[in-house]
Amino acid sequence: MNEPGIDPRLLEVLQHASNLQLFQLNSVIERMLADPKRIVQVRKDLHLGQTVRFMDWRDGQMRLGTVVAMKDTQLTLQEQATRSAWTLPYTAVEPPAPGAATPAPTAEPPAPPRASRNDFRCGEKVAFEDKHLNTVVGVIVRINQRTASIDPGDGTTWRVGFSILRHVVDI
């Protein structure tokens, strides 16, 4: 049993410890790792979208991941190699080097403007998705204050909010 990064002398001593001694050591280590000072020490230099190294507890290997969520005592990472999500304690993450340049998170592009009442006219062909995610194509027969009345041509009429309507172009 030769774990990477662990002093072989320490492993030798642990091999000769009794089960009770190992259990006592485990409980002391768990309390130390749950200490808020240790959590803050790692958390203060982390931000969403940052790439960090973390330890895979299954094989002891260090892996790369992106921070996707931060909670009080745990954070969620997305492993870069497999794209799988990991929820880990902060102490499983290698803290960034002090003073290391951390790039500011890039701003997301602004969302496209939502369609409004002024974007549609009676007689225009439009489409939308119903509650079963089926696409319904029809013609606007009436413009209301917050909705448009749509006739899909099958004998039904739909009242649909402008924000979910989109124009259909006939070719």
Side-chain angles (χ1 to χ4, degrees):
M1 179 175 163
N2 192 8
E3 298 291 327
I6 297 178
D7 187 356
R9 295 174 295 171
L10 179 60
L11 288 175
E12 177 73 27
V13 171
L14 290 175
Q15 286 293 338
H16 297 297
S18 70
N19 288 339
L20 180 59
Q21 289 172 328
L22 290 174
F23 182 78
Q24 288 171 333
L25 183 60
N26 182 43
S27 66
V28 168
I29 290 172
E30 284 181 2
R31 278 193 307 251
M32 289 176 73
L33 291 176
D35 183 9
K37 290 178 185 174
R38 290 183 183 270
I39 293 171
V40 169
Q41 183 180 9
V42 175
R43 187 176 174 165
K44 67 181 171 72
D45 294 323
L46 293 178
H47 58 80
L48 295 178
Q50 183 177 13
T51 300
V52 295
R53 286 174 24 113
F54 67 96
M55 191 181 110
D56 181 349
W57 53 269
R58 300 172 301 184
D59 59 9
Q61 298 293 319
M62 295 301 284
R63 304 199 185 281
L64 282 177
T66 304
V67 179
V68 293
M70 296 173 67
K71 298 180 183 121
D72 288 340
T73 60
Q74 297 178 329
L75 76 159
T76 303
L77 300 171
Q78 183 177 37
E79 184 180 358
Q80 289 183 346
T82 62
R83 309 300 272 172
S84 57
W86 291 72
T87 300
L88 300 167
Y90 285 99
T91 52
V93 174
E94 182 177 62
T102 54
T106 57
E108 294 183 19
R114 294 179 63 143
S116 68
R117 183 174 193 254
N118 298 330
D119 296 327
F120 298 98
R121 302 282 177 260
C122 285
E124 290 182 334
K125 196 171 217 180
V126 293
F128 65 95
E129 275 72 39
D130 66 6
K131 68 179 180 179
H132 303 291
L133 299 179
N134 297 320
T135 301
V136 178
V137 178
V139 176
I140 298 176
V141 293
R142 181 177 172 176
I143 300 288
N144 305 310
Q145 187 67 30
R146 285 175 273 177
T147 62
S149 297
I150 311 298
D151 180 15
D154 60 1
T156 61
T157 303
W158 293 77
R159 287 183 59 190
V160 181
F162 296 108
S163 61
I164 63 172
L165 285 178
R166 61 183 189 276
H167 291 279
V168 174
V169 179
D170 283 330
I171 298 178

